[in-house]
Amino acid sequence: MEIKKYFALVWHWAWLILLGGIAAGGLAFLYSSNSTPVFSANAKLLIDQAPGDGSYGELLRNERLSTTYVELIKVSPVLQETIERLNLPYDEDQLARMLATSAPLDTQIINIVVEDTSAGRAQEIANTVATVFINFLSEQQGSRFETALARFDAERQEVGNEIQRLETEINQLLEIADRSPEEEALLSRLETQLKEQQSIYNQIFNDAQTLRIEASTRTNNVVLVEPAKINPRPIRPRTLQNTLLAGMVGIMLTLGLIFLRDYLDDTIKTPDHVQEETNLSTIGVISYIKTDNNQPSSRLITHLVPRAPTSEAYRMLRTNLEFSSIDQKLRRLVITSSSPGEGKSTTAANLGTVLAQAGNRVILIDSDLRRPTQHHIFEVPNNQGLTTALLDNETPVSYHTQSTRVPGLRLMTSGPLPPNPAELLNSQRMANILNELHKEADIIVLDTPPVLTVADATILSQKADGVVLVAKIGATTRQGLVQAFQTLKKSSVATFGVVLNKATQTRGYSYEEYYYRNYNYEYGPEGAARRFFGRLPKWLVGTK
């Protein structure tokens, strides 16, 4: 069945897959055709190493030598000398990016590859870089020994001057025929110093000779074994190859996006999805409410436009709730959702409004002590409310409620936000507040935070007669809805059903379609026209 599903999916989107391949291939062809051709030139260097002692350390140094030379080719003196010799229109950074140096494994060969938009210039740069590097390396190695030899020469000159001084003093003493004992002692001491200086001189001379021999035998030489040649064929762009590869990549990418979209699209879209995942009934489908300049107060559509189809949907929700609690009168109702942004606060406000419009005394409690919304919807202050009632044991609870513009509906806002919402909602004081409010209301509607976000909704659900889950069509995931339902179920809370919120025609499921199909509902003289247009193709619906 899965293979059949994938084949059907590919067949359904075959036009898009083909279009993706053609578009990608076409773009690659246009890009390659209009790209400047790039040529390559390759010069080969050979490292002529000085003979070593064959020890393990010598072998390690030989392995590192090629890598060291590969890096040294791009040093600033080599690049600058190359630019000056060829009068190149590049700076050092640009020339370094054009160079690619490498040393094949287990060889003493260094490749210098240059890429340029001119084949001749690429050849000149490769050969010049090789020549300049050879000279640079020779100077560096020569200077290493020259410094040491210069030091030996300076020391030998200094010791030679000292020997000459001692010999002069000794000769002066020897010319004295009748030397005193002091002069004899001085002569003996000078002869001893002369011998020491002569020994030092001989040692310096021998060390200098040894260093010269080592310099001639242990210097590494680099030679140009294969100069770069002009390659008339550009290395890129390869138009045909790029076009074919891009076309294949476009097809695979389009196919992958189609599969990914199908795999990731696990959102709730219809009442059938709700039934399949949770076995709950859909007790209402609410269409998208257009707000004025994103004003929260315009969400209260049941009061602002009581005869609108969306308002009728909330009345149908009220009726379905009455049927859901037919054995016991509904007194406390929790409105929640699985995640934020699914419209639970708007649903709670409008449901409280239609309940009050039916003649009930309704108290709407904004028990979302983290992100309260009801005071914005009803445009009332939030200086006092649920949190002040929880802390105030002396004043009647009704003092913390406020009248609204809806007759019969009172609102208890959240009040100042506390640091410990869950502990306050789970307190005995919260239970006492609900009991006291029952004396002044026929039904209490509690707007709670999402179930999967915090534990507040589960805590309050245990103090209520039941829960209504709000899901946003095309946004609420099946897994999220199932997890929310399972969380409530584990707490032995009755879930009356699910309200599908923000339905639009573009999502393929609207409020009108739901009621035409399930309740044969008509609103006003335009009901027949709506049913007619509902049967038209979706792309034609927008023309009515």
Side-chain angles (χ1 to χ4, degrees), residues 350-384:
N350 283 286
L351 179 59
T353 300
V354 296
L355 288 171
Q357 290 173 347
N360 298 299
R361 296 177 301 165
V362 182
I363 294 180
L364 174 61
I365 302 178
D366 192 349
S367 52
D368 189 345
L369 302 183
R370 303 170 192 272
R371 295 178 61 185
T373 307
Q374 298 299 339
H375 62 284
H376 293 301
I377 296 177
F378 287 93
E379 297 180 318
V380 296
N382 194 27
N383 298 329
Q384 63 180 23

Side-chain angles (χ1 to χ4, degrees), residues 413-435:
T413 61
S414 66
L417 301 185
N420 55 342
E423 288 77 5
L424 293 177
L425 297 177
N426 198 30
S427 63
Q428 182 60 40
R429 175 60 181 167
M430 182 65 193
N432 295 337
I433 289 175
L434 293 176
N435 292 332

Side-chain angles (χ1 to χ4, degrees), residues 323-349:
F323 282 117
S324 299
S325 58
I326 193 169
D327 293 332
Q328 182 179 359
K329 184 174 177 60
L330 185 63
R331 299 295 303 276
R332 301 178 186 177
L333 179 64
V334 167
I335 307 295
T336 188
S337 61
S338 60
S339 303
E342 296 180 356
K344 62 173 183 58
S345 297
T346 302
T347 300

Side-chain angles (χ1 to χ4, degrees), residues 63 86 106-107 121 126 152 176 273 300 412 430 453 459 467:
E63 290 180 1
L86 298 178
D106 297 329
T107 69
R121 188 164 53 196
F152 281 134
I176 301 174
H273 293 166
L300 199 62
M412 176 179 281
M430 182 65 193
T453 305
I459 293 172
V467 179

Side-chain angles (χ1 to χ4, degrees), residues 515-526:
Y515 284 105
Y516 295 153
R517 180 187 301 174
N518 297 282
Y519 299 103
N520 194 27
Y521 173 78
E522 293 185 13
Y523 175 75
E526 298 180 356

Side-chain angles (χ1 to χ4, degrees), residues 168-439:
T168 301
E169 292 184 5
I170 290 173
N171 291 332
Q172 291 175 355
L173 290 174
L174 290 175
E175 291 176 356
I176 301 174
D178 220 358
R179 293 185 291 272
S180 65
E182 290 80 6
E183 292 174 337
E184 288 291 342
L186 176 61
L187 177 61
S188 176
R189 187 166 58 253
L190 290 175
E191 289 176 345
T192 302
Q193 292 179 358
L194 177 61
K195 291 180 181 180
E196 291 176 354
Q197 292 298 319
Q198 288 174 342
S199 177
I200 294 174
Y201 183 88
N202 291 334
Q203 182 63 41
I204 293 174
F205 179 80
N206 292 334
D207 290 344
Q209 290 299 107
T210 302
L211 183 61
R212 287 189 178 93
I213 294 173
E214 183 179 357
S216 62
T217 59
R218 297 190 60 82
T219 300
N220 298 319
N221 296 319
V222 177
V223 294
L224 179 62
V225 295
E226 185 178 325
K229 300 178 182 178
I230 294 179
N231 184 6
R233 297 184 60 183
I235 60 172
R236 61 176 183 271
R238 299 177 180 176
T239 305
L240 180 59
Q241 180 180 344
N242 292 346
T243 302
L244 294 177
L245 287 177
M248 294 177 61
V249 170
I251 290 175
M252 298 303 296
L253 183 60
T254 306
L255 196 61
L257 291 175
I258 290 172
F259 285 149
L260 181 64
R261 177 184 179 275
D262 181 72
Y263 176 77
L264 296 179
D265 188 13
D266 64 339
T267 57
I268 299 294
K269 296 183 181 65
T270 66
D272 294 335
H273 293 166
V274 176
Q275 183 71 25
E276 291 171 3
E277 300 296 334
T278 62
N279 202 29
L280 291 174
S281 300
T282 300
I283 57 177
V285 177
I286 311 300
S287 60
Y288 179 79
I289 300 175
K290 295 181 179 179
T291 59
D292 297 334
N293 297 326
N294 202 25
Q295 292 294 327
S297 58
S298 60
R299 302 182 198 171
L300 199 62
I301 191 171
T302 50
H303 175 71
L304 299 175
V305 192
R307 294 181 58 83
T310 305
S311 300
E312 292 295 337
Y314 281 112
R315 294 189 184 94
M316 186 59 68
L317 171 61
R318 177 190 64 195
T319 303
N320 290 337
L321 283 173
E322 292 174 354
F323 282 117
S324 299
S325 58
I326 193 169
D327 293 332
Q328 182 179 359
K329 184 174 177 60
L330 185 63
R331 299 295 303 276
R332 301 178 186 177
L333 179 64
V334 167
I335 307 295
T336 188
S337 61
S338 60
S339 303
E342 296 180 356
K344 62 173 183 58
S345 297
T346 302
T347 300
N350 283 286
L351 179 59
T353 300
V354 296
L355 288 171
Q357 290 173 347
N360 298 299
R361 296 177 301 165
V362 182
I363 294 180
L364 174 61
I365 302 178
D366 192 349
S367 52
D368 189 345
L369 302 183
R370 303 170 192 272
R371 295 178 61 185
T373 307
Q374 298 299 339
H375 62 284
H376 293 301
I377 296 177
F378 287 93
E379 297 180 318
V380 296
N382 194 27
N383 298 329
Q384 63 180 23
L386 179 58
T387 53
T388 57
L390 288 168
L391 299 176
D392 187 0
N393 293 320
E394 299 178 358
T395 307
V397 176
S398 59
Y399 172 77
H400 300 278
T401 63
Q402 303 180 57
S403 299
T404 66
R405 47 186 169 171
V406 180
L409 175 64
R410 295 184 63 81
L411 174 65
M412 176 179 281
T413 61
S414 66
L417 301 185
N420 55 342
E423 288 77 5
L424 293 177
L425 297 177
N426 198 30
S427 63
Q428 182 60 40
R429 175 60 181 167
M430 182 65 193
N432 295 337
I433 289 175
L434 293 176
N435 292 332
E436 290 186 35
L437 290 178
H438 270 313
K439 301 175 183 178

Side-chain angles (χ1 to χ4, degrees), residues 28-35 237 239:
F29 177 79
L30 291 175
Y31 178 80
S32 299
S33 300
N34 291 279
S35 297
T239 305

Side-chain angles (χ1 to χ4, degrees), residues 285-289 473 501-513:
V285 177
I286 311 300
S287 60
Y288 179 79
I289 300 175
I473 294 178
N501 194 32
K502 298 187 179 181
T504 62
Q505 281 286 4
T506 56
R507 293 195 180 104
Y509 205 83
S510 66
Y511 154 75
E512 290 87 350
E513 180 183 353

